């Protein structure tokens, strides 16, 4: 069965009180829209159509960054969910298959639930997705069932007391043959207080035409929608709880799970130990048996087996740590390849650099990679000893087995096995410090007097 996804992402999200389109607000540092796209992508859809509206250009950029084949359509007026789906008609005009309707602000749909919807489509013309609410709420429409048959969806305000007591409620997601769906949408009216075209009306329309409709059930947490900053915080917390539990189940040690922040794409191998207050930005892979110590921040990097990072380390994008490397406290790396067994243990910055195997980078070392216009590369060989407080002015290379003396400013290449010493001669001037302090104090007093 061929599948198309239509993801509704046109809403402004007034209650978010934001200039950013609602579906682009991040959960685990990934836009909500992308979460929905990834869930649907498991079905290997032939087409994905994103219905945009508010901030359409920004939404389109995010969608096509995730899936360059995604088709973007614009809902110029916000006239309800059926009207939004109708905007995808032209994009699917020549499509002969089923369509699944998803929502860009409902990021937690389990791909297995979508697969169950497709399975149900083999027996019914229209499949809706519902869930049981824990307590009676006026927010959701009630799914009125007769056995497996879905009779209608009744909004709470229009429901009888008996219907309001029903716990089985509408999520808004559906699956239907594309041609049938648009025929039903054509029959939806807007004779209501809001003057909008509601997608829920297609259930009654389908039954009136002799089509079959059903609703399958999912967990309420999958349907968590985001309409406000409070909802966003709750959704992010829900994601973090799930992701942490998954890591624990996979054999990762989290010493204080509630303090570890994960991104949607974080990958961590088993037997890795993660200490408290570690933040994973996007694009991080940590192999098995590594240690990430407290208060470290990782983004866009790869950490190999046996490596130790932190505490208080920052790994920026492009960092590649080979096996058994050491990145210590208050060390920052960026676009740096650190070979097996190399150590950068204290208070250093290594950027746009490669560091050879078993090399030791002393405390206070800086690769001076930026000249104000361009970034330049530093290459450090194997078994090199970089003395404390060395400045490596890129572009520059240090050969295998070389050494730099403490406080050296390296401005030209260092040959293998050579010792580089380049620092100013110390000159002590007796009494000069006292004279300088007196001069500065007098200058300050004159300034204060003038003020």
């Amino acid at each position: 069965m061929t599948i198309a996804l239509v993801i509704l992402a046109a809403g402004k999200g007034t209650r978010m009180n934001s200039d950013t389109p609602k579906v682009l607000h991040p959960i685990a540092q990934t836009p909500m829209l992308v979460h929905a796209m990834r869930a649907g992508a498991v079905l290997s859809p032939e087409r994905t159509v994103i219905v945009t509206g508010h901030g359409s250009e920004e939404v389109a950029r995010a969608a096509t960054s995730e899936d360059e084949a995604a088709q973007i359509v614009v809902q110029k007026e916000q006239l309800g969910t059926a009207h939004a789906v109708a905007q995808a008609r032209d994009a699917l005009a020549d499509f002969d298959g089923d369509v699944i309707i998803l929502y860009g602000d409902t990021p937690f749909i389990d791909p297995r639930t979508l697969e169950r919807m497709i399975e149900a489509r083999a027996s019914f013309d229209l499949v809706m997705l519902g869930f049981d609410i824990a307590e009676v709420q006026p927010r959701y429409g009630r799914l009125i069932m007769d056995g497996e048959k879905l009779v209608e969806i009744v909004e709470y305000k229009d429901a009888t007391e008996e219907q309001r007591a029903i716990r089985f409620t509408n999520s808004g997601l559906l699956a239907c043959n594309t041609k049938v769906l648009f025929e039903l949408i054509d029959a939806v009216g807007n004779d209501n207080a809001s003057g909008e075209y509601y997608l829920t009306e297609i259930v009654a329309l389908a039954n009136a035409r002799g089509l079959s409709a059903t609703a399958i059930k999912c967990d309420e947490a999958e349907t968590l929608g985001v309409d406000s900053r409070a909802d966003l915080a709750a959704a992010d917390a829900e994601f973090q709880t799930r992701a942490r539990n998954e890591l624990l189940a996979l054999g990762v040690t989290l010493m204080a799970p509630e303090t570890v922040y994960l991104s949607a794409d974080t990958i961590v191998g088993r037997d890795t130990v993660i200490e408290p207050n570690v933040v994973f930005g996007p694009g991080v892979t940590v192999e098995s048996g590594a240690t990430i110590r407290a208060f470290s921040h990782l983004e866009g990097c790869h950490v190999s087996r046996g490596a130790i990072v932190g505490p208080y380390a920052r790994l920026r994008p492009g960092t590649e740590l080979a096996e058994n490397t050491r990145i210590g406290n208050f060390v920052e790396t960026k676009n740096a390849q650190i070979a097996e067994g190399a150590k950068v243990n204290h208070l250093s910055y290594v950027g746009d650099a490669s560091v050879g195997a078993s090399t030791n980078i002393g405390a206070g070392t800086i690769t001076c990679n930026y000249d104000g216009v361009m970034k330049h590369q530093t290459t450090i060989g194997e078994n090199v000893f970089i003395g404390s407080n060395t400045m490596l002015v890129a572009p520059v290379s240090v050969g295998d087995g070389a050494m730099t003396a403490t406080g050296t400013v390296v401005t030209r290449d260092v040959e293998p096995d050579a010792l580089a010493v380049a620092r100013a001669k110390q000159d002590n001037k007796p009494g000069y410090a006292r004279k300088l302090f007196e001069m500065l104090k007098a200058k300050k007093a004159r300034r204060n007097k003038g003020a």
Side-chain angles (χ1 to χ4, degrees), residues 1-229:
M1 181 182 294
T2 55
I3 303 295
L5 302 178
V6 173
I7 303 180
L8 306 187
K12 183 177 182 180
T14 303
R15 283 190 283 166
M16 297 295 287
N17 192 23
S18 174
D19 294 328
T20 301
K22 180 169 72 168
V23 297
L24 297 188
H25 283 271
I27 294 171
Q29 302 194 50
T30 299
M32 287 189 283
L33 171 62
V34 173
H35 283 274
M37 293 177 68
R38 289 176 180 174
V42 174
L43 300 177
S44 299
E46 186 174 300
R47 299 187 192 182
T48 297
V49 182
I50 312 296
V51 181
T52 66
H54 176 69
S56 60
E57 292 185 1
E58 293 177 74
V59 175
R61 280 195 296 271
T64 53
S65 292
E66 174 67 17
D67 177 6
E68 62 182 14
Q71 296 174 259
I72 309 299
V73 299
V74 181
Q75 184 187 21
K76 295 181 180 178
E77 295 182 273
Q78 311 295 297
L79 299 177
T81 48
H83 178 261
V85 175
Q87 308 312 301
R89 184 192 307 270
D90 290 344
L92 298 175
D94 61 343
F95 180 74
D96 183 20
D98 277 9
V99 62
I100 291 184
I101 307 300
L102 302 176
Y103 292 81
D105 61 354
T106 306
F108 292 144
I109 293 297
D110 192 319
R112 292 170 296 184
T113 297
L114 300 181
E115 291 172 346
R116 289 194 295 114
M117 292 177 69
I118 294 300
E119 291 171 3
R121 257 288 294 130
S123 303
F124 293 87
D125 296 306
L126 175 64
V127 178
M128 303 294 296
L129 180 66
F131 59 96
D132 286 334
I133 51 175
E135 56 186 40
V136 175
Q137 297 180 37
R139 180 178 178 180
Y140 303 109
R142 271 36 178 188
L143 297 172
I144 310 302
M145 303 294 293
D146 181 7
E148 290 188 335
K149 178 182 179 181
L150 175 59
V151 178
E152 62 178 330
I153 301 175
V154 180
E155 297 302 324
Y156 185 87
K157 65 182 186 309
D158 300 321
T160 65
E161 288 303 315
E162 183 180 2
Q163 290 172 332
R164 289 179 177 182
I166 293 172
R167 300 298 178 110
F168 194 29
T169 56
N170 180 40
S171 74
L173 277 70
L174 65 85
C176 186
N177 173 268
T178 305
K179 182 179 179 181
V180 171
L181 176 64
F182 287 118
E183 287 176 352
L184 293 172
I185 285 176
D186 285 340
V188 173
N190 66 339
D191 185 17
N192 53 61
S194 301
E196 294 187 351
Y197 299 88
Y198 295 125
L199 194 57
T200 52
E201 290 190 19
I202 68 171
V203 174
L205 291 168
N207 283 313
R209 296 184 179 201
L211 300 173
S212 59
T214 192
I216 68 168
K217 190 176 296 185
C218 71
D219 188 83
E220 182 177 1
E222 291 185 47
T223 68
L224 179 64
V226 176
D227 293 318
S228 66
R229 300 281 184 167

